[in-house]
């Protein structure tokens, strides 16, 4: 095994969507810099009202930086969880039937979902069950609950090192 969890001689691919996420983050960084410059200019005006607005405007870049950092941290944890599951041969497999257009059959996704929900009910402190539940939510098209389940899995995850 290499440090990244991939077997020797196997090149590890970049996670899907990483390039797009980095591009959007770079664009967002430009926006944050522009907003921060405006806020700093308002602070330097000497006008009490503009100083107040400038302080409020500077909160926006701080929030954005915090939210972006949180999402990248979660993505890194999710990748570590996936690597650990893959190393153990337990990574969920997307084998649900699909339509000719590639959409997952909703009835099949709903039927598969029940087993993952039952597994979480049986072992609520096991990050693996939450990870698989997130996978099932995603297959069923419920992205909001999938992210919530991934956050729960991440909170319970203790990497092997």
């Amino acid at each position: 095994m290499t440090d990244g969890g991939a077997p020797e001689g196997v090149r590890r691919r970049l996670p899907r969507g990483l390039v797009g996420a980095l591009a959007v983050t770079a664009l967002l960084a430009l926006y944050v810099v522009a907003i921060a410059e405006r806020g700093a200019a308002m602070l330097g005006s000497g006008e009490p009202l503009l100083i107040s607005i400038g302080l409020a405007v500077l909160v926006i870049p701080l929030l954005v930086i915090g939210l972006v950092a949180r999402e990248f941290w979660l993505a890194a944890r999710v990748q570590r969880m996936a690597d650990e599951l893959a190393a153990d041969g337990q990574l969920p497999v997307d084998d649900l039937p699909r339509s000719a257009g590639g959409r997952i059959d909703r009835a099949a996704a709903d039927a598969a979902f029940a087993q993952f929900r039952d597994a979480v009910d049986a072992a609520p402190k096991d990050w693996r069950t939450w990870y698989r539940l997130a996978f099932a939510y995603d297959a069923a098209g419920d992205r909001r609950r999938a992210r919530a389940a991934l956050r729960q899995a991440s909170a319970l995850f203790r990497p092997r090192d």
Side-chain angles (χ1 to χ4, degrees), residues 115-126 129-131 133:
Q115 74 183 28
F116 295 111
R117 182 76 241 172
D118 291 345
V120 166
D121 290 341
K125 300 288 186 194
D126 183 359
T129 61
W130 283 98
Y131 186 95
L133 180 64

Side-chain angles (χ1 to χ4, degrees), residues 16 19 22 24 30 42 44 65 74 80 91 97-98 101-103 106 112 116 132 140 145 149 151 156:
R16 208 175 76 194
V19 173
L22 291 174
V24 169
L30 292 174
M42 289 179 188
I65 290 167
L74 178 63
R80 287 187 76 181
L91 194 62
R98 297 179 184 274
R103 291 186 181 257
R106 177 69 78 188
F116 295 111
R132 290 185 197 101
R145 286 193 175 125
R151 288 190 191 288
L156 295 169

Side-chain angles (χ1 to χ4, degrees), residues 2-7 9-15 75-76 78-80 82-83:
T2 62
D3 291 337
V10 174
R11 278 183 43 142
R12 188 167 158 180
R13 294 183 337 191
L14 287 175
V78 168
Q79 186 60 52
R80 287 187 76 181
D83 290 345

Side-chain angles (χ1 to χ4, degrees), residues 49-107:
L49 181 60
L50 283 178
I51 290 172
S52 300
I53 294 171
L55 286 171
V57 165
L58 287 176
V59 169
I60 295 170
L62 294 175
L63 287 173
V64 168
I65 290 167
L67 291 172
V68 168
R70 179 178 171 215
E71 291 306 309
F72 272 100
W73 180 84
L74 178 63
R77 298 257 316 166
V78 168
Q79 186 60 52
R80 287 187 76 181
M81 288 186 285
D83 290 345
E84 194 167 309
L85 286 172
D88 294 343
Q90 298 177 0
L91 194 62
V93 177
D94 181 1
D95 58 357
L96 293 172
R98 297 179 184 274
S99 70
R103 291 186 181 257
I104 292 175
D105 181 303
R106 177 69 78 188

